[in-house]
Amino acid sequence: KSPAGEPIELFTPQLHKELRDRLELEQALRHVLETDNGELHLVYQPVVDAVTCAPVGAEALVRWNRPGIGPVSPDLFVPVAERSELIIELDNWVLHTAVRQLAVWAAAGVLGDRWVAVNLSGAHVCRPEIVPQVLGTLAEAGVGPRHLIVELTERELLADVELAASNLKMLREAGVRVAIDDFGTGFTSLTHLRWLPIDKLKIDKSFVTNLTGSNDQSLVRLVIETGHVLGVEVTAEGVETVEHLEALRALGADQIQGYLTGRPEAAVPRPVLPSP
Ligand code: C2E
Ligand code: MG
Ligand code: MG
């Protein structure tokens, strides 16, 4: 406060630059989503069975290539989108694109029982339209719900846990599976697990990276046992070495995702793009 008792706002040049950059990123992303100008694309990272290493599905991860700037990390622009309504548009774009890709794989006869997981922000899961959006997208593309997993990524606290739980319940009743992403780092706590109907827990890669430390090994064991007590599968993310894989197998992880078994890559065969 100033000597006169008025609040003083500390508006440093650094803060000013950060705000300006965020606003610029938000405006650029809004333009990309409004015009669907081809700057966004999806890559797919395989998820494999921990014992056999056979692929069981893939996670769709969004990529943004800005002309003149280059690739922008989702760790940078997803949180910006999450601060505004843009996250809803972004999640919907990802959902549509991934489901269309599923239809392409199914038509090419290469899908089998495999699935694609898409990330949905907590804000989106609390909206009533999420259920018709997801089910409508699948129906439109003629893709069965068992081929889709939604990963709830919770960087911010769920605004309405009960509404999220009822939406997820409806999705599960329709056959879509639900995973909790980055378990152990986000806001999803053990309390949430009592409320949220789920099929899968994903252990955050930060635990896997330090798996050689005994503390993290105990934590990973705890998460895997928690998942199994709840009757859900547990996937470990960020598996980069054979040592990680062997430790996770010994601890009972069901599925593995990481650079060791496959990096995120563009889809093959490519989706058929509508002619201009
Ligand atoms: P996430 O959903 O936990 O995704 C896993 C991240 O770990 C991805 O980073 C992936 O490329 C990276 N990764 C996979 N294997 C390894 C590994 O072995 N080692 C290391 N060091 N990293 C690995 P990416 O693609 O940069 O995405 C970062 C985060 O951005 C995602 O974390 C997710 O929270 C968010 N995100 C990405 N795509 C989307 C999307 O389409 N929608 C939403 N809402 N969020 C997304
Ligand atoms: Mg994820
Ligand atoms: Mg994750």
Side-chain angles (χ1 to χ4, degrees):
K1 289 193 174 172
S2 74
E6 289 152 352
I8 298 172
E9 283 185 28
L10 287 175
F11 201 65
T12 62
Q14 175 61 25
L15 192 60
H16 187 242
K17 186 179 176 308
E18 275 174 30
L19 280 174
R20 211 183 43 211
D21 289 352
R22 200 172 74 212
L23 196 65
E24 195 271 332
L25 202 68
E26 191 183 313
Q27 280 167 347
L29 185 60
R30 176 165 292 123
H31 176 74
V32 168
L33 286 164
E34 271 168 12
T35 55
D36 198 6
N37 62 0
E39 288 179 32
L40 292 180
H41 71 281
L42 290 184
V43 286
Y44 297 85
Q45 181 174 36
V47 178
V48 308
D49 183 278
V51 178
T52 62
C53 281
V56 290
E59 178 173 6
L61 295 158
V62 68
R63 294 289 176 265
W64 182 12
N65 224 331
R66 289 189 72 182
I69 295 177
V72 188
S73 163
D75 278 329
L76 201 67
F77 70 84
V78 169
V80 170
E82 277 178 335
R83 284 167 173 247
S84 71
E85 293 280 296
L86 274 185
I87 190 64
I88 309 293
E89 312 281 324
L90 179 67
D91 280 352
N92 280 336
W93 185 89
V94 172
L95 180 70
H96 272 95
T97 311
V99 168
R100 282 206 315 261
Q101 181 61 57
L102 274 167
V104 170
W105 280 325
V110 295
L111 185 59
D113 283 337
R114 289 188 285 271
W115 42 260
V116 163
V118 296
N119 294 283
L120 286 186
S121 113
H124 203 173
V125 174
C126 293
R127 310 250 304 208
E129 64 268 32
I130 184 75
V131 178
Q133 266 166 1
V134 171
L135 300 183
T137 305
L138 285 167
E140 215 172 277
V143 170
R146 70 196 172 96
H147 294 294
L148 186 70
I149 296 188
V150 298
E151 288 190 6
L152 176 59
T153 313
E154 230 188 318
R155 264 177 294 261
E156 315 219 341
L157 204 57
L158 277 180
D160 188 336
V161 182
E162 276 177 50
L163 186 56
S166 99
N167 286 340
L168 294 176
K169 185 164 171 275
M170 282 189 264
L171 287 175
R172 287 186 78 221
E173 279 166 0
V176 174
R177 279 166 292 168
V178 174
I180 298 290
D181 203 358
D182 303 337
F183 188 71
T185 57
F187 277 99
T188 319
S189 63
L190 287 174
T191 321
H192 278 86
L193 294 186
R194 283 167 59 200
W195 285 93
L196 297 176
I198 59 163
D199 301 274
K200 205 188 252 275
L201 279 182
K202 295 189 79 174
I203 305 178
D204 188 62
K205 57 178 175 287
S206 58
F207 294 110
V208 173
T209 309
N210 300 316
L211 207 51
T212 37
S214 62
N215 273 352
D216 277 16
Q217 201 152 44
S218 311
L219 278 174
V220 170
R221 178 179 289 116
L222 189 68
V223 175
I224 294 173
E225 281 170 6
T226 305
H228 290 169
V229 166
L230 293 170
V232 307
E233 289 181 334
V234 181
T235 303
E237 294 187 290
V239 180
E240 294 184 349
T241 65
V242 175
E243 288 74 31
H244 290 160
L245 174 66
E246 280 169 357
L248 287 160
R249 268 185 188 150
L251 293 170
D254 301 289
Q255 289 159 3
I256 299 294
Q257 181 180 353
Y259 295 164
L260 178 71
T261 47
R263 294 205 171 232
E265 277 180 33
V268 185
R270 284 192 165 279
V272 183
L273 296 170
S275 9

